[in-house]
Amino acid sequence: MDHNMPPDPAVFTHIRVVIGMVVSLSLARVLSGIALFIQHPGKTKAYPVHLAWAGFLILYLLHFWWWEFRLQVLTPIDFGVYLFVVSYCCLFFMLAVLLFPTTLDDYKDYEDYFFSRRKWFFGVFTMVFAVDLLDTALKGIDYFESFGYEYPIRNVTFIVLCLIAAWTASRRFHATFVIAAIAYQLSWIFRAFDLIE
């Protein structure tokens, strides 16, 4: 295969379709989970921190799909890159499933469930922020450096806070963390990713 040939635009479209399927499954899982509280308001007690993390995941998924447009700068895209990006997407699906399990039979409510599975949830989220650094680096050193020092500091800070969240059961810490995470993520998106160029 001649790697000097210009890439076929259909390759990028094909990869985005596969990524889109995994992201869509993740979004569907989270939205279906949230809809349960509307469908059966008295059946299961909602936990605000749990719902806030569901909101954060929706925001992160939409943001991810927005910025993955930058994949087109990779020429050529080999199977290793393809496998890496699809595996990255699979982490989102794991987060969605961890937020909304098939059943709560072994738990009192979503608060009980959330704290009993926090090590798994925040462990996977730690991986997301670590893999995100690699994903951005794949798009080129110039692209990575275009975000300045804030980007790596952001990810390292999220990794540290997720590790603390996996360890502590402090309700105050978890509430503060998710509120700050949503506020910062919104700020980050509109400052760094408002337009696709």
Side-chain angles (χ1 to χ4, degrees):
M1 182 178 180
D2 185 359
H3 290 284
N4 295 319
M5 290 179 60
D8 184 347
V11 173
F12 174 64
T13 302
H14 174 70
I15 292 171
R16 276 182 57 90
V17 167
V18 176
I19 294 170
M21 289 190 312
V22 182
V23 170
S24 295
L25 286 170
S26 306
L27 271 172
R29 182 74 179 222
V30 176
L31 292 173
S32 296
I34 293 171
L36 286 175
F37 296 113
I38 300 168
Q39 294 169 333
H40 309 286
K43 187 176 181 181
T44 305
K45 183 182 176 185
Y47 177 49
V49 169
H50 168 263
L51 281 179
W53 278 116
F56 180 87
L57 184 54
I58 290 171
L59 181 64
Y60 199 102
L61 286 165
L62 295 174
H63 180 208
F64 172 83
W65 186 237
W66 178 253
W67 89 54
E68 279 307 301
F69 184 79
R70 295 292 298 183
L71 265 181
Q72 67 181 331
V73 303
L74 296 180
T75 53
I77 297 176
D78 59 26
F79 185 77
V81 170
Y82 167 74
L83 185 62
F84 172 81
V85 175
V86 172
S87 298
Y88 182 15
C89 292
C90 289
L91 292 176
F92 299 136
F93 186 74
M94 285 297 298
L95 287 172
V97 171
L98 285 167
L99 276 175
F100 293 101
T102 307
T103 176
L104 281 180
D105 288 350
D106 299 327
Y107 308 94
K108 290 188 299 184
D109 51 28
Y110 272 101
E111 181 176 0
D112 181 40
Y113 171 78
F114 179 78
F115 282 102
S116 71
R117 287 290 167 264
R118 71 182 186 277
K119 289 182 174 64
W120 278 98
F121 179 74
F122 289 107
V124 175
F125 238 140
T126 297
M127 292 174 62
V128 164
F129 287 106
V131 171
D132 181 60
L133 289 167
L134 298 174
D135 180 68
T136 302
L138 274 177
K139 297 176 180 77
I141 190 66
D142 291 339
Y143 181 69
F144 190 99
E145 290 178 348
S146 70
F147 298 111
Y149 291 111
E150 183 181 358
Y151 173 66
I153 291 171
R154 163 196 179 266
N155 281 40
V156 169
T157 301
F158 265 111
I159 288 168
V160 171
L161 291 172
C162 282
L163 290 173
I164 294 171
W167 173 75
T168 184
S170 166
R171 270 54 174 173
R172 180 177 294 179
F173 174 85
H174 281 272
T176 303
F177 182 21
V178 73
I179 291 168
I182 291 170
Y184 178 80
Q185 189 68 6
L186 283 168
S187 167
W188 174 245
I189 290 169
F190 285 106
R191 285 184 296 113
F193 295 92
D194 193 31
L195 293 173
I196 292 178
E197 298 176 350

